Amino acid sequence: MKFIQLISEAYFDAYENIENRFVGVVEYFHNEKDIYLTIIDVKNLKHLNVIYGENVINKALKILKTRIETFMKNDYQRTITIKAESANFYMMNIDYSFFEYQLLISELYKVIMSPIEIQGNIVVLPVIIGGILFSKHFDIKDKSVYTSSLTLIKKKAKKEKVDIKIIEFDNELKELLKEKEKEIYILQKIRNKEIEIVFQPIYKTETGEIFSLEVLGRIYDKGDLISIGMYIDKIYELNLIEKFDALILEKLIEKESLIKKVTNKLFINISFQSLLNKEYMKKLRYFLENFEIEVILELTEQKFVSDIELIKSIYNDYKIHFAVDDFGTGYSSLQLVLELKEMGILKILKIDGSLIKGLENKENLKKMVNIISELGKNFKLMTVAEFVENEKILNILKELKIDLSQGYYLSKPLLIEELYKNS
């Protein structure tokens, strides 16, 4: 198959950018054949530069490039390999069976992981290898998908803590590309500030009076409001949580006058990263000083548990109280509750919704919620039950003397304009 050499040389002469050249060759052959695309990514490059120095690592990368090319030389008729401008290497393989490709990657990994000796240093370049089968029947509308999908599989390998990750089936590739679409979607929504806030009432369990409102984020999508829940992991993954939290505050400030007419107390979910962000904390201070209503911040993340001093500092500076969210599961603990209570910081325990959903049918869950209720009373903390979905659950909560209740049976999240109209 010398034809592959001729085509690749033509493309490589026609383009200045090496990645563009590679994608051009890939696109040409994918029109006719099944192809495997591979990314070889050197992990922790900055850390390696610190340990060995950039000069040593650059030489090691050149040696690695030679090793890969030498290893693949015996199959040059079905393979193209390039080093990208970054530390990444890209490879295309044509007419490989899945078994052949797996064997190739396994042997290539051994070659790559062999120690390199440079200037008295023994260097091992740890890598992630991600491979994807693009069958000739798989329709690609945008050629940037080739390299972006390789970036995604690299992330997937990191998340799964594996050095080699291969996708063989079209449905797996579709799922991978859906993740990319989700990334683009949420980036655009936050960049364009297409975010709205809704408010879910929290009721006194016994009397049914509104005690407070919880602020929840929503995404504008073609006239509808979409729950942020299905995108929250992606927001954290893309390091957008501080921007998202800041947008929520901006919306609250924008709707200040109506909010004050409906409630004198708000529950706001907040991320650990936002509490460390000076710009966000400036906005929060402005919000607290001008709103003149009580704000309770909900803690859900593991990092809060390990940095109680930060919570204490914010409490002292801002005179703001906290609620432990998802109590009974997750990262919350009796030790955390005890420490925050002794500091006077904690006012509320929000019971995890998974405990409330099963109250009707599971006696052990009922006993557990009862223990949390007694704990709250002993520590003089109010308890909140989330996910109250029917009257039977509400009656059980009354029986267990849970102070506050929240859920779609009582009220779905509403715009502040709707709540004001109904008040």
Side-chain angles (χ1 to χ4, degrees), residues 3 24 40 60 63 91 108 135 157 171 176 247 261 275 282 319 335 362 373 375 386 411:
F3 188 55
I40 303 166
I63 292 170
M91 182 167 68
L108 180 59
S135 71
N171 62 333
L176 196 68
L247 286 175
K261 290 175 182 177
L275 291 182
K282 278 183 189 175
K319 304 304 176 209
Q335 182 65 28
K362 296 182 181 178
S373 177
L375 178 72
E386 301 180 285
S411 173

Side-chain angles (χ1 to χ4, degrees), residues 119-367:
Q119 298 172 2
N121 295 290
I122 303 298
V123 180
V124 175
L125 295 176
V127 297
I128 285 175
I129 300 180
I132 302 173
L133 170 63
F134 285 86
S135 71
K136 62 186 175 185
H137 305 296
F138 193 88
D139 186 30
I140 297 291
K141 294 182 174 62
D142 179 355
K143 66 182 182 180
S144 68
V145 164
Y146 293 118
T147 49
S148 64
S149 60
L150 289 175
T151 302
L152 283 170
I153 198 167
K154 178 179 75 174
K155 287 182 182 177
K156 197 173 181 67
K158 282 182 180 178
K159 193 173 183 180
E160 295 177 12
K161 297 182 180 177
V162 295
D163 289 342
I164 298 174
K165 180 73 180 177
I166 299 171
I167 283 180
E168 180 190 7
F169 301 107
D170 284 359
N171 62 333
E172 291 179 283
L173 180 54
K174 285 176 184 175
E175 285 301 312
L176 196 68
L177 296 179
K178 277 182 186 176
E179 285 298 304
K180 185 63 180 177
E181 288 173 6
K182 193 184 279 190
E183 281 187 11
I184 294 168
Y185 177 82
I186 199 64
L187 273 166
Q188 288 176 340
K189 292 298 179 183
I190 290 179
R191 190 177 292 142
N192 297 335
K193 298 188 175 183
E194 293 180 70
I195 301 296
E196 184 56 275
I197 51 175
V198 292
F199 301 79
Q200 188 168 34
I202 299 172
Y203 295 88
K204 293 181 181 179
T205 305
E206 194 59 43
T207 65
E209 298 173 70
I210 292 181
F211 172 79
S212 177
L213 302 178
E214 180 178 0
V215 184
L216 300 168
R218 292 291 186 267
I219 299 168
Y220 275 121
D221 187 87
K222 299 173 184 175
D224 294 325
L225 291 176
I226 309 298
S227 172
I228 204 68
M230 62 188 293
Y231 296 99
I232 196 68
D233 289 342
K234 189 61 67 180
I235 289 172
Y236 273 96
E237 186 183 315
L238 296 171
N239 296 315
L240 293 172
I241 190 62
E242 294 162 50
K243 288 184 180 178
F244 176 74
D245 283 348
L247 286 175
I248 296 297
L249 269 187
E250 286 176 21
K251 283 290 180 181
L252 285 167
I253 292 166
E254 181 185 309
K255 297 173 183 289
E256 174 188 354
S257 59
L258 268 182
I259 292 169
K260 284 181 177 179
K261 290 175 182 177
V262 175
T263 186
N264 63 357
K265 196 186 273 72
L266 283 178
F267 283 61
I268 302 176
N269 293 281
I270 192 166
S271 70
F272 183 81
Q273 290 95 314
S274 293
L275 291 182
L276 294 173
N277 184 294
K278 289 182 181 178
E279 286 303 311
Y280 178 86
M281 294 311 288
K282 278 183 189 175
K283 287 182 180 179
L284 181 63
R285 186 179 291 280
Y286 173 85
F287 172 74
L288 294 171
E289 289 174 352
N290 288 275
F291 253 59
E292 299 174 348
I293 63 175
E294 184 180 357
V295 171
I296 296 169
L297 298 181
E298 293 192 26
L299 310 179
T300 56
E301 296 171 53
Q302 185 179 17
K303 289 179 182 177
F304 285 120
V305 180
S306 58
D307 201 342
I308 290 178
E309 286 304 311
L310 173 65
I311 302 171
K312 184 179 178 182
S313 171
I314 290 168
Y315 170 71
N316 290 333
D317 290 347
Y318 293 82
K319 304 304 176 209
I320 193 167
H321 286 93
F322 291 82
V324 172
D325 200 7
D326 299 334
F327 186 73
T329 63
Y331 301 119
S332 57
S333 69
L334 287 175
Q335 182 65 28
L336 174 68
V337 169
L338 181 61
E339 290 189 47
L340 294 178
K341 174 59 184 174
E342 285 179 346
M343 294 175 190
I345 295 170
L346 189 64
K347 292 187 79 171
I348 306 278
L349 291 179
K350 292 196 81 176
I351 306 168
D352 187 74
S354 64
L355 302 180
I356 304 303
K357 286 179 179 178
L359 274 182
E360 296 172 85
N361 306 312
K362 296 182 181 178
E363 192 62 29
N364 284 338
L365 283 184
K366 192 173 175 181
K367 288 176 183 177

